[in-house]
């Protein structure tokens, strides 16, 4: 295997979001951030589901060299992947600390004192350590989003897949989430980031490149060319 190949942490080829749409081929290298940008109905959520083996779009998807669509390899492929859906998905009957620690408990690592230390670190990163013992049903939507983002990192996640990470947030909470994501990248906490959004400001703040997704009639998920992200992104045609 070449050095170039070793640097690829997400590899996708021949993925079809729609039978009439061109196949998607792309990769994510260590240290990169990639945004799929498009409006409602362009296939963003379906693409996210395909990347984690929850939607059958054909083709090949591998994370850290493991085939996501192979039942025997999927667990290994997703072992270090943190996923944030548009809804935070926090369990309302658990407190904040338990929500953050849930992926670690499922993965079986870290344990004991290491698990406590990780939870404390992630609470600090989220900026919500004051809400440690509050139930998820008692906190605001902005706090929920930041805590869900912190939960993505639990158990050693290195690659984040984020669906509309700041949608519906106030400007204050939006900035807090964007700052947190920027910090995670610059400090090397995560090795790869894939974002699905219709927000061009988010793309410009967080990504190196973007792939536009378009809808034309009943055909969705038609990719534009891979584009170097401009400083002030223009609307996607």
């Amino acid at each position: 295997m070449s050095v170039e190949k070793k640097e690829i942490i997400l590899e996708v080829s021949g993925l079809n979001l729609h039978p009439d749409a061109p196949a998607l081929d792309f990769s994510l290298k260590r240290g990169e951030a990639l945004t799929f940008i498009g409006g409602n109905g362009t296939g963003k959520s379906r693409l996210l589901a395909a990347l984690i083996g929850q939607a059958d779009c054909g083709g090949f998807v591998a994370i850290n060299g493991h085939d996501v669509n192979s039942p025997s390899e999927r667990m290994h492929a997703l072992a270090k992947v943190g996923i944030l859906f548009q809804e935070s998905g926090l369990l309302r009957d658990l407190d904040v600390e338990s929500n953050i620690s849930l992926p670690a408990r499922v993965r079986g690592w870290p344990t004991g004192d290491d698990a406590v230390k990780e939870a404390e670190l992630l609470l600090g990163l989220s900026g919500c350590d004051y809400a440690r013992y509050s139930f998820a049903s008692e906190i605001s939507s902005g706090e929920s989003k930041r805590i869900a983002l912190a939960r993505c990192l639990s158990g050693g996640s290195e690659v984040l897949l984020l669906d509309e990470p700041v949608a519906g947030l106030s400007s204050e909470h939006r900035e807090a989430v964007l700052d947190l994501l920027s910090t995670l990248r610059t400090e090397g906490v995560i090795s790869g980031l894939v974002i699905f959004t219709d927000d061009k400001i988010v793309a410009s703040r967080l990504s190196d490149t973007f792939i536009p997704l378009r809808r034309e009639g009943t055909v969705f998920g038609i990719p534009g060319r891979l584009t170097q992200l401009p400083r002030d992104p223009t609307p996607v045609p």
Side-chain angles (χ1 to χ4, degrees):
M1 183 179 290
S2 67
V3 173
E4 182 80 3
K5 191 72 171 180
K6 289 181 180 179
E7 294 178 350
I8 296 176
I9 54 179
L10 170 64
E11 183 177 8
V12 177
S13 61
L15 201 79
N16 288 100
L17 296 179
H18 187 280
D20 298 324
L24 275 170
D25 303 281
F26 64 91
S27 63
L28 180 75
K29 295 179 182 178
R30 187 169 299 278
E32 288 185 338
L34 173 65
T35 292
F36 287 89
I37 189 166
N40 291 338
T42 54
K44 299 189 302 294
S45 294
R46 181 168 173 79
L47 176 55
L48 170 57
L51 296 185
I52 59 175
Q54 298 299 314
D56 184 8
C57 295
F60 175 74
V61 179
I63 301 176
N64 289 321
H66 297 286
D67 185 351
V68 167
N69 293 311
S70 167
S72 63
E73 294 190 48
R74 182 175 300 144
M75 182 169 60
H76 298 291
L78 301 179
K80 294 187 176 182
V81 176
I83 305 161
L84 178 68
F85 296 102
Q86 191 164 346
E87 299 296 329
S88 67
L90 297 182
L91 299 181
R92 294 173 59 81
D93 294 331
L94 293 181
D95 61 31
V96 165
E97 182 179 26
S98 297
N99 266 288
I100 284 181
S101 302
L102 185 60
R105 294 202 298 272
V106 171
R107 291 169 175 169
W109 185 90
T111 58
D113 290 343
D114 288 337
V116 174
K117 291 177 181 178
E118 183 187 68
E120 291 176 347
L121 174 62
L122 295 178
L123 276 165
L125 280 174
S126 73
C128 297
D129 45 344
Y130 57 85
R132 182 173 191 162
Y133 300 115
S134 299
F135 287 99
S137 58
E138 300 173 332
I139 59 180
S140 71
S141 60
E143 291 167 330
S144 295
K145 185 75 77 170
R146 283 184 283 158
I147 290 163
L149 181 57
R151 185 180 61 179
C152 288
L153 298 167
S154 179
S157 295
E158 296 180 356
V159 182
L160 300 187
L161 309 178
L162 310 178
D163 188 4
E164 300 288 4
V166 297
L169 299 185
S170 67
S171 58
E172 179 183 359
H173 287 141
R174 172 189 171 95
E175 286 303 308
V177 170
L178 292 176
D179 287 346
L180 175 56
L181 287 170
S182 296
T183 299
L184 293 175
R185 283 200 70 199
T186 57
E187 295 297 322
V189 177
I190 57 175
S191 57
L193 178 62
V194 182
I195 300 169
F196 307 85
T197 187
D198 63 358
D199 191 321
K200 301 172 185 64
I201 303 300
V202 171
S204 67
R205 287 275 296 271
L206 299 177
S207 295
D208 306 307
T209 57
F210 70 85
I211 297 178
L213 296 176
R214 302 183 179 90
R215 177 167 183 148
E216 297 180 3
T218 59
V219 180
F220 63 87
I222 301 177
R225 68 185 187 279
L226 186 65
T227 310
Q228 188 66 31
L229 191 68
R231 182 174 296 275
D232 296 309
T234 56
V236 177

